[in-house]
Each structure stands twice: as structure tokens, then as C-alpha cells.
Amino acid sequence: MPNMQKEKTPMPEQAPDVRNKNWGEVAEGYTAEQAMNEAARCLRCKNSPCVTGCPVGVRIPDFLALAAQGDFEGAYAVIRTTNSLPAVCGRVCPQENQCEGKCVRGIKGEPVGIGRLERFCADFVMKKKKENRNATPAATSDADGGREKAKRGRVAVIGSGPAGLACAGDLAGRGYAVTVFEALHKAGGVLVYGIPEFRLPKAIVADEIESLKAMGVEVLCDMVIGRVISVDELFQKGYDAIFIATGAGLPRFMGIEGENANGVYSANEFLTRINLMKAYREDYGTPIKKGASVAVVGGGNVAMDAARCAKRLGAKEVHILYRRSEVEMPARREEVHHAKEEGVVFEFLTNPTKILTDDKGNVTAVTVVSMALGEPDASGRRRPEVVPGSERELSVDTVIMAVGTSPNPLIRMTTPGLDTDRHGCIVTSDGVTTTREGVYAGGDAVTGAATVILAMGAGREAAEKIDAYLSAKH
Amino acid sequence: MVTILKKEKLADTVTRIVVDAPMIAAKAQAGQFVILRPTEEAERIPLTVADYDREAGTVTLIYQIVGTTTAKLDALACGDAILNMAGPLGRASEFEGMHNVAVIGGGLGTAIAYPQAKALHELGAKVDVIAGFRNKNLIILQKEMEAVADRFFLMTDDGSAGEKGLVTDALRREIEAGAGYDAVIAIGPPVMMKFVSLLTKTYGIRTVVSMNPIMIDGTGMCGGCRLTVGGTVKFACVDGPDFDGHQVDFDELIRRNAMYRKEEEASFAAYREASHEAHACRLQTMGEETT
């Protein structure tokens, strides 16, 4: 019999006014008992609506059934058959729009905490693996495996974010020799430079990457493809197929007056200084402006991350300025909830028009206008329009622009024959196949900025297409 | 990891290193740069490729010790490894239509101007080099510059070597004397590039400047290096580092470069104190061992 408890089993969390002063993970995760209790809430619906909501098709009822019995390793194995980064997805997927959004239990209560359980199973197994590794060191060696794999073909993956890692994991599993090229000094892409420690501990990302390496995947950092080697040169070096997963890393600005003032950051810069470059730690040399009063412009997950980081750096006041209303906000619901709890102030229907500075070019205030929602626009959301005469000033010393990103132009500029659209997104015929033979692409580089799980879905899709392409060729 | 093969002091606080980086050496061109991080806790900093040897697979970098990260870099010796280095980054310099050029280097900017002067010289252009330094102790690359320059003018602020005066004094004089430059390349402190550009604008001479703003990733990801050129925002790392000097908003650049001055000074002071203490400790230990 399923557990008919209406609400999700609560997950222990750090208290809001404690955690907004530290960088430790907000949600502390279930205990084994809590996990079994929550997994038992699954009704095992015959048509599994939850699975249809998952971009990588995790067999949710199957893994929940095993978890309910306390077989977390078995549950993890089920997840891993379709998802190569469960510890990450359990933490950052927008489950409310995906699996949990389709859960039947959500009709008369709260859906099953699928994300929390995915996270628990992954953490459980990772912890166990670590204990074993410590007990029997030097057990993993894949040098021979790597040579064996080269027989099926060599694949270069450009970018080590979610799309690249998912593709690399799937291809390695199918017996290919895979090299992942990362431009920054640490692998993980947005999981490392973008998503903060308190939401996704970097040790977890490192563990996931270690798991891939143990499968024989080679990861090379400090490699800016397009500069140090071009896509064409990768083919010359003996790669049989290439997957471009370079993301959407080019920050957009609003084009308003004062945007180049000292104290105005792109969210990418602000988050990179904190997450990749550890500006919050005393032992790191990375400087950052610790604003006392901060305005974050935007309503997505990146805006939430920036606002919550600003709070943790010691800001007294953090305002989110979003030009539409709360319902249109694209951020994951849990992040909005957490941000509010931590004292972030939301100014909906508010848009900045100008950034004011002192004579040294430092930010002193931002001029904003109120907005009202008109008719729906191309995105289906109601178009925000300026309310006449609503101009006011908000006194701040830091402004963070989280108004979206575009694909990086480096690959497109250096790869002849690779078509892109007017937004700079790589053109594909089926979501992953580009206009160049043997070259595939996926994730934000194709779709523009989206989610971790959609990028991973594209990575898996590309792995399948690459496998079919190379199998036919050889 | 990139190993330092050679290390040489060029002047007070200015060092030249040759590093083993065959992939970067194979691709580097004048005007491009690398981003490096000497140790785990250090910042990522951009340094222009001062020279390269494709056959030997080496890249030459020149840096001035101005803060914690460059001090940490300088703490590495021959045979030590720089933790991370990515490159070559940025667009290569374009020399099309340049036949009679004044290349101007100011201070450490001379290290960035040198590969440009060398490239132009190899392309057969007539090259005048004007190099300016605060005083004779800071002079770098004089011999190298003389080897690629048709005429070399050395300027110092205090007159301790070469002529006393600013690079713009020499430039104005040569233009007035009928040098007939079709282009000026100016690389140095932003304020120097600003005044060179103001001067050449009055003569209508095409002027290229090389930007060295605050930068993190060097791939267009953060926008920290943004500057205004001809009224539009550009990223120095992917759109530059070379720009039309007559279009650059230098005042904004100067303001943005000062963004972390306070933090940088505090960090450098703490670093020097810590390394001073470590040094004192070592001396003390050595003293104890000998007695």
C-alpha cells in the first residue's frame, strides 16, 4: 500500500537567517528513513505521467519502488541508465514543470518529491563509493579500456557543461573514446561557474566528473576551441565526430545609460568571480565588490542565484527588479521561495531605465519605472508596458544584470560551413545534427539559454545520433 | 600545467619568462594574449604573447609585478609550472595598409608593442619605434626594438636615459618633420594611449591601440572587459584587444581599471607581509641551524 500522506516528507534545511550568511548547502537532504517514507508515496500509475515530463526519460516509478524498499543502489542504477548526472539533476531540475508537475499525487496534495529522492539515491551511492575508494585505493584504472574504446571511434566534445558531460557519458558507455575540451581551468561549465555552492556543492560536480573519467572519458581544461584548435583541426587530429556543447555564455546587457559604471556586473561575471574564482573565500585572491545595497535585474534562476550570493557577501538589501509579475517569472519555484525566505526583496513590474553614478563612476542609484502587463507577446507571456509618470529612484551601490545570455560566437566564427541563426544559435535539422557532416551540437548553444536537464537531454540525443553515424560509417 | 623554461629580469619589477606551451606557440600571432593562473588561489590574468617560437614550442611572456597575482607568478622559478594557461586569445593584429608606421610603447606596453613592431618589420613596413619609460631603471627591450626599428626613439620622464619628455613629444616632432606615417600603433597605460590618439586625430592618422582591461575568462563570457568604442559596447577579449584609438572611450576605461584598486592594494600588502614573515622565518631557522 502506498503511503497516503498528503504533503511531501519535509527535507531538513538550514534556517533562512543562518544560511544567508554562509555558503553551505541550503537543503540538507533526506535520511534513509525519510527517503523510504517519501518514495512510498508513489502510486505506480500504469501510464507513468511523471516519465513523460522528464527530458531524459528517467524510469521514475521503477526507481521509486526500489527506494521505497531501501534499495538505494538499485534505484540509483535505474536512474543512471538514462541520466548521467543524477546528483546534479536532483538539485537543479525545475521538477515542478517536469516530473513532479505531472504527478497524480499533486492533484489532491503535493506531488512525490522525485527530485529529492533522485538526489538522495545519488548522494547515497557517491558516499558509499568514496568509502570503498578509501578502503581499497588505486582500484580504478582505465588506461587499457581507453585503448580498447578507440576501436569504435574517437569523439571530441567541446564544452564540459551539462550537455557535454551527458553526451560524453553516453558515448563512453557505448564504447567510444571521448575527449572533453573545456575552456576554463575547471570542468563543469555552468555547474561550476554559474550555479552557487549553496545550491549545488562543487564537490558533487567534481564527483560526477570523476565518475565519467573512471569510464574512460578524457577531460582537458584550458582548451579554448576555435583559438588553440579549430573544429576542422580536431578532425585532422583523428576525431571521427564532434559534439559542440559550448552553451550560451555571452552575457546580454540592457543598453541603458550608466551600464558600464563601476559596480555594474553581468550576472555571469558576478557568479564566476564567486563560484569559479571563490571570491567569497579569504584564501583566494579574487576581488569582488561587496555591495551594501544591490539591485539584480531579471527573473530567472540566474537572477535568484546572483541575489542570494549578494546577500551572502553581506549586502543589507537585495532587490530583484523584474519587469513582469510573479507568475511570469521563469525561475524555479523553490529558488524564489528560498530567496524570499533569505530576505531578498522582489520588485515585480519594475524595470530599470538608467544607472546613476558619482563623479568617480561608481554606482549610486538606479532609476526605475513601473510596468503594466498588456497583450501576450511572441513568448505567450503578457507584454510589459511602461506606466507613464511612474519613474522613481532606488538607491543602490551594485547592479547585477541577469537579463539573459547568447551563444558564444567563437566556434561559429572559426568553423566554416556551420550555420547559425540570427540569434547566433547553431542551426540543426533535428535538434542536434548541424550543417557540417560529423558535427553535432546541443544544449544552450542550439536553443539559447535554457535548463541543465534540457541540455542533458540534447547531449543524450546527440550521443545516439553520433553512435548511429559512426556505426554506419565504420 | 605549463613549465617555465627560462626566466630573466628585464628591469626593476619587470620579468621575462619563456614557457613550454607548444599548442599555444603553434597558433599565436602578434596582438594575441593568454590567460594564466599561477596557483590555485590566484586570479586569472591576461598577458600578451610577447614572442613565440613555433619550432621550439615556446611562448614568451613579459610581466610587471604590480599585485598579488603577478607576485605569485614571479615566485615561480625556472622548472616550476604555472598551474593554468589558456590561449592564444583575442583577435590577431591586422597590419593591412600599414607601410610607414610609428609603433609607440609606454612602460610595460613596450612588451606588447614589440611583437607588433617585429611583425610589421618582417612584412617590410618602415617602422619607427618610440618607447617611453618613467626612468632608466624601467627600460625594457631596447636592443630587441632597435633590431626591428628603422629609427628608435627612447624617452624618459626624468631624462635619466634617452630624451627627457613624453612619447607624444617625439611623435609630434616626427609628424611635424614630415615622417608621413600612414598608421600609429600605441600600447601602454590608458592615459598615454588617450593622448597619443588625441594627437593623431588632429593629423588624421589611423591609430590602433591595444586594450588591457580587467578580465576573467578571456572568452567573452563575463563582460568584465567591456568598453565603449564608437558609442557601442565591445568586449576586449573577443572583439579586441586592438581597437581604433579615435573611437575608444578612454576615460571610462581608466575608471573601470580602477574598480578594484583598494582591494588589490590591500591584497598585495597582505601578501607582501606574509611572504616577508615567511622569509624572516626561514632566515631565523637558517640562523638556528648554523649556530
Side-chain angles (χ1 to χ4, degrees), chain B residues 266-288:
Chain B
S267 159
F268 196 23
Y271 175 82
R272 272 182 299 200
E273 192 164 315
S275 40
H276 185 74
E277 268 170 30
H279 184 64
C281 266
R282 269 202 304 279
L283 286 182
Q284 198 182 3
T285 322
M286 279 163 63
E288 281 163 8

Side-chain angles (χ1 to χ4, degrees), chain A residues 139-214:
Chain A
T140 52
S141 168
D142 45 65
D144 295 335
R147 265 198 294 280
E148 187 64 30
K149 275 167 189 160
K151 286 179 192 162
R152 288 218 64 191
R154 291 175 68 202
V155 183
V157 172
I158 309 173
S160 68
L165 294 179
C167 184
D170 264 33
L171 286 170
R174 287 167 194 256
Y176 291 93
V178 183
T179 308
V180 178
F181 295 93
E182 167 56 44
L184 293 173
H185 60 254
K186 201 172 273 175
V190 73
L191 307 176
V192 163
Y193 75 74
I195 302 176
E197 180 77 17
F198 56 83
R199 200 146 81 76
L200 178 63
K202 299 308 147 225
I204 285 167
V205 182
D207 281 344
E208 299 272 32
I209 289 163
E210 282 310 309
S211 304
L212 289 181
K213 285 187 185 165

Side-chain angles (χ1 to χ4, degrees), chain B:
Chain B
M1 300 278 263
V2 170
T3 307
I4 298 173
L5 302 175
K6 256 193 235 166
K7 181 174 173 181
E8 175 190 1
K9 193 170 167 175
L10 293 185
D12 284 356
T13 75
V14 180
T15 307
R16 170 161 60 194
I17 53 174
V18 178
V19 300
D20 180 28
M23 294 184 81
I24 300 174
K27 279 296 185 74
Q29 286 177 278
Q32 289 189 300
F33 62 94
V34 298
I35 291 256
L36 63 81
R37 190 173 72 132
T39 58
E40 172 61 32
E41 293 83 13
E43 284 184 86
R44 292 165 65 95
I45 54 164
L47 289 178
T48 301
V49 173
D51 208 348
Y52 51 80
D53 183 333
R54 301 210 201 282
E55 272 175 32
T58 61
V59 169
T60 304
L61 304 171
I62 297 175
Y63 57 86
Q64 184 162 21
I65 303 155
V66 290
T68 310
T69 303
T70 40
K72 283 180 174 173
L73 176 60
D74 202 57
L76 300 176
C78 252
D80 287 349
I82 296 167
L83 184 58
N84 300 102
M85 187 183 295
L89 300 169
R91 290 172 188 261
S93 299
E94 286 167 18
F95 301 117
E96 227 178 82
M98 295 188 185
H99 306 292
N100 180 12
V101 188
V103 175
I104 301 171
L108 188 71
T110 308
I112 308 171
Y114 169 66
Q116 313 238 349
K118 186 181 165 197
L120 280 163
H121 174 72
E122 283 166 0
L123 287 170
K126 178 177 176 291
V127 181
D128 282 356
V129 172
I130 305 171
F133 302 92
R134 281 209 308 277
N135 60 55
K136 68 175 185 347
N137 298 327
L138 295 169
I139 295 169
I140 56 168
L141 300 182
Q142 183 170 353
K143 260 191 222 133
E144 286 87 341
M145 280 296 204
E146 281 169 348
V148 297
D150 290 80
R151 296 190 297 166
F152 177 76
F153 304 98
L154 177 66
M155 310 295 291
T156 52
D157 293 359
D158 63 357
S160 53
E163 290 173 56
K164 181 175 166 148
L166 302 172
V167 291
T168 40
D169 299 334
L171 179 63
R172 181 183 288 112
R173 187 188 64 210
E174 294 310 313
I175 294 172
E176 288 290 337
Y181 300 126
D182 50 32
V184 170
I185 296 175
I187 305 172
V191 67
M192 181 208 94
M193 294 192 281
K194 175 184 169 176
F195 282 101
V196 168
S197 299
L198 285 172
L199 177 68
T200 56
K201 197 167 184 180
T202 62
Y203 293 98
I205 304 171
R206 167 186 173 193
T207 299
V208 177
V209 294
S210 178
M211 298 289 107
N212 193 11
I214 294 171
M215 207 178 268
I216 316 181
D217 62 292
T219 65
M221 199 194 85
C222 81
C225 66
R226 65 192 186 274
L227 70 160
T228 306
V229 182
T232 54
V233 175
K234 300 278 182 189
F235 289 3
C237 64
V238 286
D239 300 320
D242 291 357
F243 292 100
D244 177 351
H246 298 156
Q247 303 282 327
V248 171
D249 182 343
F250 285 103
D251 295 336
E252 179 187 271
L253 176 79
I254 291 165
R255 274 202 307 271
R256 286 187 64 82
N257 275 353
M259 180 147 166
Y260 297 111
R261 181 123 328 139
K262 232 194 289 170
E263 287 85 350
E264 284 160 356
E265 279 168 5
S267 159
F268 196 23
Y271 175 82
R272 272 182 299 200
E273 192 164 315
S275 40
H276 185 74
E277 268 170 30
H279 184 64
C281 266
R282 269 202 304 279
L283 286 182
Q284 198 182 3
T285 322
M286 279 163 63
E288 281 163 8
E289 277 166 4
T290 48
T291 49

